[in-house]
Amino acid sequence: MAKKILVTDDSASLRQVVKMALTSVGYEVMEAPDGKAALALLDGRTVNMAICDVNMPELNGIEFVKAVKQLPTYKFMPVMMLTTESQEAARERGKAAGARAWMVKPFSPTQLVKAVDKLCP
């Protein structure tokens, strides 16, 4: 059975690029335009990993990670931040919230797949 990845970003074109990269190597991808919509998808179904932007409307990426870590079913699910934020302070906030990895945009699809393969074996 394919591993399921939740991709959350307010840019539809970025979600599409991530989806194409991941589905091409066999992952199943669910999409959400913001953290609030992504949380609604975490309703008990199996989700193996989340990839999330930091800067989004409704519920930003850091708030999303904090919320996910409060959900018993998903508290151990790896979350990777995929963002334009490259400052160390932002990375530290993400790590403190529970993010397991940080990738800065722009990224190569190969780089993304390697990171996902590591976090979601």
Side-chain angles (χ1 to χ4, degrees), residues 19-60:
K19 184 175 186 171
M20 284 173 33
L22 294 176
T23 56
S24 74
V25 295
Y27 288 103
E28 190 178 320
V29 175
M30 297 167 36
E31 298 179 54
D34 59 57
K36 191 174 179 182
L39 275 179
L41 292 172
L42 297 178
D43 57 5
R45 71 183 92 192
T46 299
V47 180
N48 302 98
M49 181 182 169
I51 299 172
C52 186
D53 189 10
V54 171
N55 300 307
M56 297 180 294
E58 293 295 326
L59 190 67
N60 73 40

Side-chain angles (χ1 to χ4, degrees), residues 102-120:
W102 194 276
M103 187 173 287
V104 178
K105 300 173 195 172
F107 61 93
S108 78
T110 305
Q111 180 188 22
L112 176 74
V113 168
K114 277 184 184 174
V116 170
D117 285 346
K118 263 189 200 165
L119 288 168
C120 193

